[in-house]
Amino acid sequence: NKIVDLTAFEFNIVYFLENGKVTIVGLSSVFTTRAPSILGWSSAERGYDIVQVVATKTNMFALKDNGDVMAWGEYNSENRINDIPQEVEDSNIIKLASGTYHVVVLTDEGAIMTWGNKNDLNQLNLPKSLPASEHITANYFNSISIGENGSITIWGNRGYAFGTDFIGADVFKRVIAGGAMTMYVAAIAVVVSLVIGLIVGLTAGFYGQWVHNVLM
């Protein structure tokens, strides 16, 4: 079948075929092993077309041409991102975007909704005065809305005190972690030397004479 579109992720590629079938290739993961078999059906067989696929770290989401969203991937007590909010299911979704732990959707009325399984960097905190949106996109911990008036609104991660390294790890947290290990080792050294010093010093002071001279 002719490939009409594709979406590339870190370890997988999603191919959209001319007959409506969707194929996921790449690293075997929950993206591939838990993908609904209906993805392999043609548009005529399933009764609708799949127009977009996005992914978080462990879950994938597909947008149908009727405005519905379907999800698959990891599901446990700490990750229930597959439970699509009722307000999303009741809306006509026209676009999806996703970060590492969150999903953003745009409705046909220009409204934005988001949900996810982590909010440690405020990626789920929608701005209070968010104008009607015309386009949305997202990256690891940020979301961006382009309003109908041309304005750009960004929310989520506001940056790091010491920046990040080449893979995006927070340098400040690494400094704190390294400092904690240094203090831990130093504390052990102080305790050991304190115990030995007390024993040797008290013994030398108590017995005096040649014992004192030898120990010192």
Side-chain angles (χ1 to χ4, degrees):
N1 286 290
K2 180 181 178 182
I3 298 173
V4 295
D5 197 5
L6 62 84
T7 303
F9 300 101
E10 188 173 13
F11 299 112
N12 298 91
I13 295 179
V14 178
Y15 290 107
F16 298 83
L17 305 183
E18 189 175 33
N19 60 3
K21 293 182 178 181
V22 177
T23 302
I24 306 173
V25 301
L27 183 68
S28 178
S29 64
V30 290
F31 290 166
T32 56
T33 59
R34 300 185 184 180
S37 59
I38 199 170
L39 294 177
W41 297 8
S42 66
S43 298
E45 292 172 324
R46 72 169 84 94
Y48 59 83
D49 198 12
I50 295 176
V51 296
Q52 187 185 6
V53 174
V54 300
T56 61
K57 185 177 181 180
T58 55
N59 299 80
M60 271 191 170
F61 302 83
L63 176 62
K64 306 175 185 178
D65 60 359
N66 60 8
D68 292 337
V69 178
M70 61 187 296
W72 65 94
E74 182 182 281
Y75 188 86
N76 51 49
S77 59
E78 296 181 354
N79 179 12
R80 298 185 180 275
I81 197 171
N82 280 357
D83 293 335
I84 299 172
Q86 188 62 47
E87 61 177 350
V88 175
E89 293 187 343
D90 293 340
S91 303
N92 182 27
I93 307 303
I94 60 174
K95 186 170 179 58
L96 301 176
S98 65
T100 304
Y101 302 111
H102 73 290
V103 182
V104 187
V105 297
L106 175 64
T107 71
D108 58 348
E109 297 177 348
I112 293 177
M113 290 173 279
T114 183
W115 75 97
N117 58 334
K118 284 188 179 182
N119 191 35
D120 50 346
L121 293 173
N122 302 312
Q123 57 266 43
L124 300 183
N125 298 339
L126 287 173
K128 294 182 179 179
S129 56
L130 188 61
S133 178
E134 190 173 79
H135 179 74
I136 58 171
T137 186
N139 58 17
Y140 294 97
F141 304 109
N142 294 89
S143 299
I144 302 172
S145 168
I146 300 178
E148 294 176 347
N149 58 359
S151 62
I152 296 179
T153 306
I154 304 175
W155 65 96
N157 178 22
R158 294 184 178 276
Y160 299 94
F162 291 0
T164 63
D165 62 9
F166 71 99
I167 60 172
D170 186 353
V171 175
F172 180 73
K173 287 185 178 180
R174 303 181 102 178
V175 170
I176 295 299
M181 179 59 67
T182 301
M183 295 300 293
Y184 179 72
V185 173
I188 293 176
V190 169
V191 171
V192 170
S193 57
L194 178 63
V195 171
I196 295 175
L198 279 173
I199 294 174
V200 173
L202 290 174
T203 303
F206 182 78
Y207 290 102
Q209 300 179 357
W210 68 269
V211 175
H212 173 272
N213 293 334
V214 169
L215 292 178
M216 289 301 100

